[in-house]
């Protein structure tokens, strides 16, 4: 019995003597690697935050990418510490990755599309966009899906491959937008008076820009009205409030000026029997 215990103790001592320094070295490498990975993540985010052109989604992506690269290098260094041939291991992992990739083509296409969206940035969080047949405000962009919210706060989740593969209409990209309004007046109304009234409304509203200059012109002679084309430039955030206020103001001003806004009418003649 004593001889067996002694044999076990000798074996443990032999293993500790043989691999003790390797284990300690591997632990040190692992600790240092994980520390550097966390520091690299924060450093990349902090450096990218200095540029106003790089949003939170892109900073998060590149920070995570730097962290995972260092973690992968740390794992390889730990394996090398134990004498593992990492070249053959990488080949095995690559073959397994290829098999998994073929089985998950749809999922990987979403990942690839997510990376492209993060790099080219057709939109950012907070933008109101129309994409994939859906409209809403961008809430988050992940590696697999894009999250949106409709104006009535309904969540929409769209796979990134559909977002990247379709046209993106970004209503928030430019700081200014052009508001187009239509106004029809009766044929017997004074065109000059109506035009002057519309121009007064535009000048009186501080949300309307002077550059580019607003446009008020007769655009069409309709079946029952003379149609004005009204084009006003404003800040993108003022688009909808200005549209609603100006539409009401036009109606009230035309009523005040005694200018009729006609509506389609139909006259029916009944033949005598």
């Amino acid at each position: 019995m004593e001889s067996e215990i002694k044999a076990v103790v000798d074996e443990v001592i032999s293993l500790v003597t043989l691999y003790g320094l390797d284990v300690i070295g591997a632990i040190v490498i692992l600790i240092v690697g994980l520390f550097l990975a966390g520091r690299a993540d924060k450093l990349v985010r902090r450096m990218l935050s200095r540029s106003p052109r790089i949003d939170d989604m892109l900073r998060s992506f590149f920070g995570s990418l730097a962290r995972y690269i260092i973690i992968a290098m740390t794992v390889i260094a730990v394996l090398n510490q134990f004498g593992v041939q990492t070249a053959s291991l990488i080949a095995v992992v690559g073959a397994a990755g290829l098999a998994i990739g073929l089985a998950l083509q749809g999922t990987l296409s979403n990942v690839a599309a997510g990376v492209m969206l993060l790099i080219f940035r057709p939109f950012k969080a907070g933008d109101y966009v129309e994409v994939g047949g859906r409209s809403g405000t961008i809430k988050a962009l992940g590696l697999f899906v894009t999250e949106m919210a409709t104006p009535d706060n309904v969540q929409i989740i769209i796979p990134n491959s559909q977002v990247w593969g379709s046209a993106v209409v970004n209503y928030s990209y430019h700081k200014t937008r052009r508001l187009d309004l239509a106004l029809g007046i009766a044929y017997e109304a004074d065109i000059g008076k109506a035009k002057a009234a519309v121009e007064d409304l535009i000048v009186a509203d501080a949300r309307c820009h002077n550059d580019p200059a607003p446009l008020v012109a007769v655009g069409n002679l309709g079946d029952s009205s003379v149609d004005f084309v009204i084009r006003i430039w404003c800040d993108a955030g003022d688009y909808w409030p200005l549209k609603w206020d100006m539409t009401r103001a036009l109606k009230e001003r035309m009523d005040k000026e005694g200018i009729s806004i006609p509506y389609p009418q139909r006259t029916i003649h009944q033949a005598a029997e």
Side-chain angles (χ1 to χ4, degrees), residues 34-251:
L34 294 177
F35 172 77
L36 292 178
R39 295 288 295 178
D41 188 353
K42 295 179 180 179
L43 179 62
V44 170
R45 291 173 188 253
R46 185 166 60 250
M47 292 178 61
L48 295 179
S49 65
R50 298 175 182 174
S51 174
R53 296 178 57 85
I54 301 178
D55 56 29
D56 292 336
M57 293 186 298
L58 203 57
R59 288 196 291 267
S60 176
F61 171 75
F62 281 115
S64 299
L65 182 62
R67 178 162 59 91
Y68 287 128
I69 289 176
I70 293 179
I71 289 175
M73 295 173 62
T74 301
V75 172
I76 293 174
V78 170
L79 293 176
N80 278 329
Q81 183 70 17
F82 288 105
V84 177
Q85 296 297 323
T86 54
S88 58
L89 180 62
I90 292 175
V92 172
V93 172
L98 178 61
I100 295 173
L102 292 175
L104 300 175
Q105 292 183 22
T107 302
L108 292 179
S109 67
N110 288 328
V111 174
V115 173
M116 299 301 289
L117 290 171
L118 286 168
I119 294 175
F120 289 98
R121 295 190 305 149
F123 50 73
K124 63 181 183 298
D127 285 354
Y128 187 85
V129 303
E130 179 180 340
V131 59
R134 301 284 186 171
S135 299
T137 302
I138 298 295
K139 292 298 182 181
L141 173 61
L143 287 178
F144 298 97
V145 297
T146 297
E147 179 185 351
M148 301 169 57
T150 62
D152 55 345
N153 206 29
V154 176
Q155 185 187 52
I156 302 176
I157 303 295
I158 306 178
N160 285 337
S161 58
Q162 294 184 18
V163 177
W164 180 251
S166 62
V168 177
V169 181
N170 191 338
Y171 294 97
S172 304
Y173 185 81
H174 296 292
K175 295 182 179 180
T176 59
R177 289 186 63 185
R178 192 185 73 187
L179 172 62
D180 292 353
L181 297 170
L183 173 66
I185 63 173
Y187 269 92
E188 60 271 16
D190 187 332
I191 294 179
K193 183 179 179 181
K195 181 182 179 189
V198 175
E199 291 174 343
D200 287 344
L201 288 175
I202 295 174
V203 172
D205 198 315
R207 293 171 295 183
C208 301
H209 292 183
N210 295 323
D211 186 19
L215 171 68
V216 181
V218 176
N220 182 50
L221 300 177
D223 294 336
S224 58
S225 64
V226 177
D227 300 327
F228 278 95
V229 174
I230 304 171
R231 295 175 177 174
I232 308 169
W233 287 90
C234 65
D235 292 342
D238 293 333
Y239 181 87
W240 287 108
L242 181 61
K243 177 180 175 63
W244 297 326
D245 293 344
M246 189 62 68
T247 300
R248 176 176 178 174
L250 287 172
K251 173 62 170 62

Side-chain angles (χ1 to χ4, degrees), residues 2-12:
E2 293 181 359
S3 61
E4 293 179 356
I5 295 176
K6 186 176 183 303
V8 171
V9 172
D10 292 340
E11 183 68 21
V12 171

